[in-house]
Structures are given as structure tokens and as C-alpha cells.
Amino acid sequence: MTHIPPPAEELRLLDAELWQLDGRRAQLLARRAWLVAALQAQPVAPVPVAPRPETSAPRVQNVLLVLGGVLLTVAAAAFTLVSWGDLGIAGRALVLGSVTLAVLAAPVPLLKRGLRSTAESVAGLGLALTVLDAYALHAAALTGTDGTGYAAVASAVLAGVWAAYGRGLGLLPDLSSGASDHSAREEARPLPLRLPLPAALAAAQLPLLLWAIAVDAGPDWITAALLVTAGFDTIVALRTTSKSVRVVAVVGAYGTGGLGVLTAGWLSWDAGGPSAAVRASALLALAAAIALGAARQLPKPGNAMGTAFVGGLVLAAAVGGILRAVLPGGWTVLGYLAGGVALLAAVRGQHLAKPVRRGLAWASGTVQALALLWALPLVVVVLLGPVGWAERAWTGVPSDARAAVTVDVPWPPYAAAAAVVLAVIAGVLAAVRNATWRPRALTGVLVLAWATALVLPAVLELPYGVGLSAQGITTAAALAAAAAARQVPTAQTAATVLSVVASLSLAFLSLASEGATLVVLVALTVLFAAASWFARLAPVTAPAALAYAAALACATGASVGWRPEHTALLVLVVPVTAALLAARLGGSPATVPVEVTGAAAGLLAVALTVADPPMLALVLALCGVIAAGTAVRSDRRPVGYAAAALFVLATWVRLASWDVETPEAYTLPVTVPALFVGALRRRRDPQASSWTAYGAGLAATLVPSLIAAWGDPHWLRPLLLGAAALLITLLGARHHLQAPLLIGGAVLTLDALHELAPYLVQIAGALPRWVPPALAGLLLLAVGATYEQRIRDARRMREVLDKMN
């Protein structure tokens, strides 16, 4: 039977076993720590890393082949240029023919063995040798021929030879070892080389250009050669399936085509007569035909749109170049604008793809935008020119509308053409029928029609009065358009802004004559006030009406000979009207703009009375009344602070005008309302701090009075100040208010020290010198003796103050 020890004995045995396990574990941990430290102290041998190759084997092969071909080409060139003269005619022909034919034939066996890269290198060497052959032929047998003409023929021949060579090599079957059986040979595909065909296309860029130069053709024929070459490149780029050939064709098309377009554009601009202009325009039309033809064939919509855009610009330049030759100098822009507008006929046609039509539309828009930018200075002069009358108000009526807008600015040349440009573009935009673009087009029509009507009086040099009337009608028409454009928010916003801009220009324009100023300001005030009945326009028109009313008040005061401070009383009618109107509008979007305009008119009235303090005080008080009336509204309570500030400022200005120097006269008008407002605040919110309610009001009077009392040699001010401070201290203690208690007590103490200062000085002078140190020592002893009690008293006092509000 198993012996089971008693529980106490078993517990002792278990504790002994656990103690032995803990000891063994400690030994093992110590050994482990030593081993880790020993391993960390030994240097770790680096693991060998195999070097990574910096380039691949195919790249090394290509570099070697290219270098070999270059070296052989250099050697052949050196032989041709240096050793050529040492051989006879037969030897020369034998050497050149043999070497060239051998090198050109070498790619055939290389291709059969599958060595394509080597074949490419050898073929490049062969192509270079053909160039050297052409040079050697000219140097030996054709020295009398023209170099440029020979180069043209040689480049054409080389292009044809290289193209045939590349095509011929491309027809060879792949006889590599991988295609061993007959079926594999039947399914083999041609293995063309990449170099000959792109090289042939590159050589084909030169024949026409060199031929035109060789025959001393004029700039027109040279440009035509460039454009024909670009057309050929374009056809190749669109038809070829080889990527390398396409890249060369695209580069050639852009290069020769771009150079041809620039040259044709320069010829069109520099054309001295209609015949030269027609020839240049024909070249531009050829370039446009190439671009548009390519755009119709391009598969990607983005590329097609961009190419059609360029073609449309070139075509517009072609049409404009012809019209430029027959139109006067100032009407040149109209010719190009006509070309841009003519593009829209192609846009409307359905025979073109959508990307092409979109590109032509963007080209037409670009031409119209450039023409509009050219006409913009005329509009700027008509709008901003009348501002110069601000310094020459009521000096006399100008001779005509043009003289009225050119007070300080010059009249732009070709203004009539600019006005026609504005009208033409407005007509073009009016013809837009696309549902997406129709709202924007209508907005553009509105702006351009407004600008055209604005500049016509000055362009036609109409009388001054007629110009004023025309601009007033333009302003009214813009407001009417804004009221009618309910379905087009952008047009409504634009018409509203245009009406305000036109009215500002009209107001400045009317400053030339006193009568015109009054009539125009009355008309603008009535016009914008009437437009304010439309809720959508009121946020803009209502403030504008108030602004023109304020200007009318100033003009009326100046007309009857009032001084500025008296005119200010008339200007105050505008803030009163604004306050009444804002109260009636309530939560309308026009409320805030109306109130801001009224406040600005109030500031204008204050500015007009700065030189007359009594009148300034009156105006400030009236502004305070207007602000107080506004503060009656529940949503405008904070305006009451502005009203109080205006009343205080009015009081101060009045006191200053009376030469009052007593500070209490300035501070009490602040303290009394402040304490009243604080009392109302405490009544509504009993938890409000007494510092918030009464601190500022009490300090506004007590602090300046205390400063004045310290410099006052008389006894009345300190007495009254002390009495007031004592009363405030008692009230603070009575109602347990912290701010009145501390402020009143501090002022009372300082005022008492000021009054007792002379006596303290006399006492200090009468006492022996040992008395102050003795008194100080006694004080320290007394304080030390009752230190703990004083601490308790201070804590108790702090608790009492903390309980106060």
C-alpha cells in the first residue's frame, strides 16, 4: 500500500523540492547569461556576398556590337577621306562595291543563324557605307555638280535603297536551329531589322528641302517643301505598324510641320500685298489640312482633339491672313476673328468625329478670346477714365463723350474695330444652342452686349449729355435683365454686378457738371431703390440705393453752399432710413448689407464734422440714438453697447468743446450706465461675478479721480473721493460683493494716505532717528508672538472674501 504522509510532512517535502528547483533554475540562468556575454564579445565573421552584376548580358552584347559598328564606320570614313586618292578608278570601284555589298549581304546569314543583334549592327555599318559611297562618288566623278542638288538626289536615292533593303531583309524566313521540321518552317514569320526603315524615313526628310534650296526657290517653295514632307511623315505615322518607324515619322511630322507653320505664319504677317498673303494663306491651309486629316485618323480622342485644335488655329490664321491684306490696319483683328468664327461652320457639321469637332470648337473659342483680350483696353478706359473727374468736379461740361472718359488716360487706337469685335463675339455666343453651354453663352452675351453699349457713345463721339443718357439706359437695362433672368443664376449675378459697375462709372462721369451730378444721383437712387422690390436683387441694390442717397446728400449740401458739418445732418438721413428698412426686412439676406451701408453713412457723417467739435458731438449723439433704436430689436441687442459708446463719445466731445478739464465729467457718464447695466446683469444672473458687473464701471471713475486727487492741492476732491470710496466699501460689505469692497477699500486707503502724508512726514522729522528702528523691532516681535493667530485670521479673511461674489 502507498504510504501517504501527514499533511504537515507532505507540505514540508513540497517546499524542499521547490527550493531545490529554484536553486537549480538560478544556476542555469547565470550560466546562460555568461554564455550570451561570451558570444557577444566574439567577432562575427561576415557572410560572403556574391557580387551582383551591374548590367545584363544582352546589354553588354548590344554595347559591344554598337561600338564595333561605330569603329568600322570610322575606319571606312578614314579610308574614304584619306586613302581614296591612292587608288585608281577601277580600284576605287572594286573596293567600295565589294565592301559595301559584302557588308549589306552579311545580315542574311546572320539572320538565318538567329543573330539578330549582330545583323542589326552590321546593317548599320552597311548603311553608313552607302553614305560614304555617295560622298566618294561625288568627290571622284561628279565634282562639277552642285553640292546641294547632289545631296538632294543622294538623300532621295539613299532613302529608297534603305527602304528596299529593309523590306527585302524582312522577307527572309527564320532559318534558326529552333525551326527544324517542315511545319515549323512553314509557320515561320519574317524577321525584319529595326534600323533600315527608320533610317530611310530619316533620310527622306531632306530631298525636298535640299532641292528647294538648290534651285534658289523662294521662302514660299521652301515652306511648301517642309509642309509636303510633314504630310508624308503624317501618312507614314498613320499607316505603319512598326513602332520605330512611327516614332521617326511623328518626330519628323512635328519638326518639319512646326517649322513650316512658323515660316508660313511669318510670311502671312509680313505679306506686302494680296498675292503674297494668298500664297502664305495657301501654305497655312495646307498645314491645316494635314493636321485635320491626321486628327480624323487618330484613334485616341485626346490626340485627335489636340491635333484638330492646332489645325483649327492654323486654318483661322490662313483666313485671317487673306482678310488682313485687304482690310485697313486697325481692322486686322477682325480678319482673324472671321477665321475663328468660320470654324464654327465645321463644328456644326455632323460628318466629323466628335473629338475633331470639339478641337475645332476650342480653336474657335481661343481665337475669339484673343480678340476679346485685344478689345478689353477700350472697355477699361471707358469704365475707369471718368474717375479722373473726382479731382475736377463741376469744372465744366466736356466737348463729347470721348473727351469725358479720357480725362487722365489716352484713347486707345482702333477703338471702332474693338467695338465691332465685342458685338461680333456677342452675336456668336447668342447663336449657341447646346444645352450644356447655353446658360454660359447667355451670360457671355449679356456681358458683351453691356460692354458694347457702354463704349459706343465714346467711340461715336456723341455729345456728353447723350453719353450720360446712354450709360444710364445701359445701367437700367442691366438691372432689368437681372430681374428677368430667373432661370439662369449666373446671368442674373452677372447682370447685377454689371449694373453696379456701370452705375459707378456713370456717377463719376456726371461729376463734370453740377446739374448732371444731381440728376444722375437722384436717378440712380430711385432706380436701385425700385430694383430692391425684387427679393433676389435686394442684397445688392438696396445698399447701392443707400450709398447713392448718401452721395446725393453730400452733393446737395455742396450745391446749396452748406459747410461739411451741416451737410452731415443731411447724410444722417441715410442711417435712419437704413435702420428703419432693416427692421422691416427682418431675416432677409438684404438686412446685413443694408445695416452695413447705414453704418458706413454714419461714419461719413462723423468724418464730415471732425473740424467742428460741437457739431461732432451732436452727430455722435444722433448716431447713438439710431444705434439705440436698432438695439430695441431682439436680434440686435449687442448694438446697445455701440449706442452707449456713441453717447459717451458725444458727451466727451461736448465737454472738450466747453474746455472742461474735470475728469469726473468724462468718467461719470461712463460709470453710471455701466453700473446700471451691471445691476441688470446681476438681477438676471445672480451667479455673475461682481467684477464682471461692477468692476469696470467703478474703476472708470475711481481710478482717474484718485490720480487727479494725488495732484490736487485742494481738499474738496480728496474729501469727495474718500466719501464715495467709503460708501462703495460699505455697500460691498453690506451685500457681500468682492469688487466694490476691494476697489472702494483700496481707493479709500490711498486717498487717506494722500491726506495724511504731510502729517506723517512732519512726525517722521520730529522723532529721533532711533525711534523708527525701535518701532520696527517692536512690530516684528508683536507679529512673531501672534504669528499663528495672524495666519488663522488671514485664512478666515480669505474665506470671507471667497464667499463674496
Side-chain angles (χ1 to χ4, degrees):
M1 295 180 63
T2 302
H3 174 70
I4 299 176
E9 182 63 21
E10 185 178 3
L11 180 61
R12 185 184 65 80
L13 294 175
L14 290 176
D15 289 340
E17 290 291 337
L18 290 174
W19 181 82
Q20 292 179 1
L21 290 175
D22 290 340
R24 182 59 179 168
R25 185 173 184 277
Q27 291 177 359
L28 294 175
L29 289 175
R31 181 60 180 175
R32 180 183 180 279
W34 182 86
L35 291 174
V36 170
L39 290 175
Q40 291 178 349
Q42 295 179 358
V44 179
V47 179
V49 179
R52 184 175 60 89
E54 296 183 355
T55 184
S56 61
R59 290 186 179 180
V60 174
Q61 169 190 323
N62 293 335
V63 170
L64 294 176
L65 291 175
V66 170
L67 288 177
V70 170
L71 291 176
L72 288 176
T73 304
V74 171
F79 168 77
T80 304
L81 297 175
V82 177
S83 302
W84 182 256
D86 297 336
L87 299 175
I89 296 177
R92 298 170 187 175
L94 181 60
V95 170
L96 281 176
S98 301
V99 173
T100 303
L101 290 176
V103 173
L104 290 176
V108 176
L110 293 175
L111 288 174
K112 291 181 178 180
R113 293 178 177 272
L115 302 175
R116 180 171 177 173
S117 298
T118 305
E120 289 278 6
S121 179
V122 174
L125 176 60
L127 300 182
L129 288 175
T130 57
V131 177
L132 294 176
D133 290 343
Y135 169 77
L137 180 62
H138 180 266
L142 302 174
T143 55
T145 60
D146 178 63
T148 307
Y150 178 80
V153 175
S155 60
V157 172
L158 288 176
V161 170
W162 292 351
Y165 178 68
R167 290 290 185 183
L169 290 180
L171 297 177
L172 292 176
D174 186 5
L175 300 177
S176 60
S177 59
S180 57
D181 56 353
H182 177 73
S183 61
R185 287 196 298 270
E186 288 294 332
E187 296 179 359
R189 294 291 183 267
L191 188 63
L193 296 179
R194 297 189 182 94
L195 184 59
L197 292 180
L201 185 58
Q205 310 300 309
L206 301 176
L208 289 178
L209 178 61
L210 293 177
W211 171 81
I213 297 174
V215 299
D216 293 329
D220 295 334
W221 288 103
I222 294 177
T223 304
L226 289 171
L227 293 176
V228 171
T229 304
F232 171 73
D233 292 333
T234 303
I235 295 174
V236 173
L238 293 173
R239 298 298 177 84
T240 186
T241 58
S242 173
K243 183 177 180 181
S244 57
V245 176
R246 186 184 300 113
V247 170
V248 175
V250 170
V251 173
Y254 277 107
T256 57
L259 184 59
V261 168
L262 292 177
T263 307
W266 175 79
L267 291 174
S268 176
W269 185 261
D270 195 54
S275 59
V278 169
R279 290 195 300 269
S281 296
L283 294 173
L284 289 173
L286 175 60
I290 295 172
L292 294 177
R296 298 183 64 179
Q297 301 296 325
L298 290 174
K300 294 184 178 180
N303 296 339
M305 178 179 170
T307 307
F309 172 76
V310 175
L313 290 179
V314 176
L315 186 58
V319 176
I322 296 177
L323 296 178
R324 177 179 177 272
V326 298
L327 291 174
W331 298 82
T332 300
V333 175
L334 277 174
Y336 291 101
L337 178 60
V341 174
L343 295 176
L344 296 177
V347 174
R348 293 177 179 272
Q350 300 298 323
H351 61 284
L352 296 177
K354 185 176 181 181
V356 177
R357 286 188 282 117
R358 184 173 298 177
L360 291 176
W362 277 105
S364 176
T366 301
V367 174
Q368 295 179 57
L370 292 174
L372 186 61
L373 187 64
W374 175 81
L376 187 60
L378 174 64
V379 182
V380 174
V381 168
V382 174
L383 281 177
L384 301 183
V387 177
W389 287 107
E391 298 178 353
R392 301 175 178 85
W394 299 354
T395 56
V397 177
S399 59
D400 52 45
R402 181 179 298 183
V405 299
T406 54
V407 182
D408 293 326
V409 294
W411 182 250
Y414 315 126
V420 175
V421 166
L422 296 173
V424 169
I425 298 177
V428 171
L429 292 178
V432 174
R433 293 292 181 267
N434 185 275
T436 303
W437 291 92
R438 180 68 177 171
R440 304 174 188 176
L442 288 178
T443 304
V445 170
L446 180 63
V447 174
L448 293 175
W450 169 84
T452 305
L454 200 67
V455 302
L456 276 180
V459 171
L460 300 178
E461 295 185 87
L462 298 177
Y464 172 70
V466 177
L468 280 180
S469 301
Q471 195 158 343
I473 294 173
T474 303
T475 304
L479 279 177
R486 299 180 180 180
Q487 305 299 327
V488 187
T490 55
Q492 181 181 13
T493 303
T496 306
V497 174
L498 293 177
S499 65
V500 174
V501 173
S503 66
L504 288 173
S505 179
L506 176 61
F508 281 108
L509 191 63
S510 68
L511 293 177
S513 170
E514 178 180 348
T517 301
L518 296 176
V519 171
V520 166
L521 291 178
V522 169
L524 291 177
T525 302
V526 174
L527 180 63
F528 281 96
S532 299
W533 288 102
F534 296 93
R536 301 183 305 277
L537 307 181
V540 176
T541 56
L546 292 174
Y548 286 123
L552 177 61
C554 295
T556 303
S559 178
V560 298
W562 289 358
R563 294 175 59 84
E565 54 269 19
H566 297 146
T567 304
L569 297 177
L570 188 59
V571 174
L572 283 179
V573 176
V574 176
V576 173
T577 305
L580 297 176
L581 182 60
R584 185 176 181 81
L585 291 174
S588 171
T591 302
V592 174
V594 165
E595 291 176 339
V596 171
T597 307
L603 291 177
L604 175 62
V606 171
L608 291 173
T609 58
V610 170
D612 189 350
M615 189 61 69
L616 176 60
L618 176 60
V619 170
L620 286 172
L622 293 176
C623 290
V625 172
I626 298 171
T630 302
V632 173
R633 294 162 49 192
S634 59
D635 57 339
R636 292 294 184 268
R637 298 298 188 200
V639 182
Y641 297 106
L646 289 170
F647 284 130
V648 170
L649 287 175
T651 305
W652 286 357
V653 172
R654 175 60 66 180
L655 292 174
S657 65
W658 288 339
D659 296 329
V660 175
E661 298 180 356
T662 304
E664 288 79 9
Y666 296 90
T667 57
L668 285 176
V670 178
T671 295
V672 173
L675 293 178
F676 178 73
V677 172
L680 292 179
R681 172 71 181 277
R682 289 273 300 171
R683 176 174 296 181
R684 293 180 180 179
D685 184 12
Q687 301 298 324
S689 172
S690 62
W691 291 100
T692 303
Y694 305 116
L698 293 174
T701 294
L702 292 179
V703 174
S705 298
L706 179 62
I707 296 174
W710 274 73
D712 192 349
H714 303 287
W715 58 272
L716 181 59
R717 183 189 300 275
L719 178 61
L720 295 177
L721 178 62
L726 178 60
L727 177 61
I728 292 171
T729 304
L730 294 176
L731 289 175
R734 171 67 178 81
H735 296 284
H736 298 280
L737 298 177
Q738 194 177 90
L741 178 64
L742 296 182
I743 294 176
V747 172
L748 180 61
T749 302
L750 294 175
D751 185 65
L753 288 176
H754 172 264
E755 293 301 309
L756 295 177
Y759 302 103
L760 294 177
V761 171
Q762 293 178 3
I763 294 172
L767 291 176
R769 294 186 177 181
W770 57 268
V771 173
L775 293 176
L778 292 175
L779 179 61
L780 291 175
L781 289 175
V783 170
T786 58
Y787 184 74
E788 185 177 1
Q789 181 64 35
R790 301 306 179 198
I791 291 177
R792 284 200 298 267
D793 293 342
R795 290 175 179 172
R796 194 175 295 114
M797 178 60 69
R798 186 180 65 184
E799 293 174 357
V800 171
L801 292 175
D802 290 341
K803 293 179 181 179
M804 295 182 179
N805 289 321

